[in-house]
Amino acid sequence: MRVNSTALIIVALVATLGALAFPVWSYADRSGTGQADLAAGTVATRWGPLSAADRDLLVKVRLAGLWEIPAGQQAMERAPTKAIAAAGDHLVVGHTDLDQRVRTAAGQLGVELPSQPNAQQQGWLRELTAASGETYERKFANLLRSAHGKVFAAIAQVRDSTRNSLVRQLATDANQTVLDHITMLEATGLVDFDDIATGRAATATASPTGPPPPSGAAPAPAAPAHPGDGVTPTSRPSPAPPGEVDTDRPAPGESPLP
């Protein structure tokens, strides 16, 4: 009886240790982890690995053009103010250019693209069509500014992490175009920044970090950051300043350098 009790205790200890160790040694192989998801969704191409996030960006850029080109055209046709008409013009020019680029890249990478806006985007177009006067102007500025702000963040993430040179170039082009459109929409003077900030805060998953709130006293001036003696930079910031649409960029697959 004593032998059986001892054996049972040993078996129980081994089982307990095994249960504790299992999550540690098996974690790297479990589906749902970042590395596993990256590997499962990635395919090889001649331009580098193509991940699920890369393909998602191609779809997002295509969808943006499918609803923002008609929205921009509508703004130009209605032309309630010069600022709205100018923003619409930039939407049409920028997304027509990006659409050509994303279709070229998708064809090279074998990615299927949608042929019409998604349900939410179609709803936005219906909202704009049904609105008029000042209501139309505010809906136009804020619907499009909010949409651009969301895709701006998605572009930055893919631009940072992609290993595919075609996707990297498309993300660079899209980043420039989206920033131009954000600038033009904000220039209408109708963007509700409080509403945008409240919406983003509602979906935030982390607390903000940074310096404490200002105390009211003037802080000590920060020293300028500059190169040491003997260095004379000659380059200029790029890309083009916001408010300008550069459609004379290299086509997908071409080198941006001479």
Side-chain angles (χ1 to χ4, degrees):
M1 187 71 176
R2 183 179 302 169
V3 173
N4 290 340
S5 298
T6 303
L8 288 174
I9 292 172
I10 292 173
V11 169
L13 287 173
V14 170
T16 301
L17 290 173
L20 291 174
F22 177 78
V24 176
W25 61 257
S26 67
Y27 183 80
D29 296 325
R30 291 189 313 182
S31 61
T33 65
Q35 289 294 332
D37 288 344
L38 178 63
T42 298
V43 296
T45 77
R46 58 177 288 197
W47 297 276
L50 182 72
S51 70
D54 295 337
R55 298 191 295 276
D56 187 54
L57 179 66
L58 295 178
V59 171
K60 280 184 168 66
V61 171
R62 168 67 170 172
L63 285 172
L66 289 175
W67 88 275
E68 291 179 32
I69 290 174
Q73 180 178 350
Q74 186 182 72
M76 294 174 69
E77 292 169 348
R78 291 189 178 188
T81 64
K82 288 184 177 180
I84 293 290
D89 183 274
H90 278 241
L91 292 180
V92 171
V93 172
H95 281 292
T96 300
D97 175 64
L98 273 185
D99 188 70
Q100 178 183 352
R101 294 173 184 278
V102 74
R103 285 186 293 107
T104 300
Q108 292 172 299
L109 294 168
V111 176
E112 183 177 358
L113 295 177
S115 58
Q116 62 181 5
N118 62 32
Q120 184 181 47
Q121 293 165 338
Q122 292 178 37
W124 290 336
L125 285 171
R126 288 193 295 269
E127 277 191 60
L128 291 173
T129 300
S132 60
E134 185 179 346
T135 300
Y136 167 77
E137 295 179 39
R138 292 191 178 278
K139 280 185 177 291
F140 175 84
N142 285 282
L143 281 174
L144 284 151
R145 171 58 179 81
S146 179
H148 278 83
K150 290 175 181 177
V151 78
F152 200 39
I155 292 167
Q157 287 185 324
V158 173
R159 179 62 181 80
D160 171 59
S161 62
T162 185
R163 295 170 288 171
N164 188 283
S165 61
L166 278 186
V167 174
R168 188 176 303 116
Q169 184 172 327
L170 179 68
T172 299
D173 294 335
N175 180 75
Q176 180 178 344
T177 300
V178 170
L179 180 56
D180 168 72
H181 293 174
I182 285 174
T183 303
M184 295 302 296
L185 291 162
E186 291 175 353
T188 65
L190 299 173
V191 173
D192 188 341
F193 292 103
D194 288 337
D195 185 64
I196 291 174
T198 300
R200 298 294 187 266
T203 58
T205 57
S207 299
T209 59
S215 63
H226 54 75
D229 295 338
V231 176
T232 306
T234 59
S235 63
R236 293 292 178 267
S238 62
E244 297 180 10
V245 181
D246 178 12
T247 58
D248 191 28
R249 294 168 289 196
E254 293 181 1
S255 172
L257 300 176

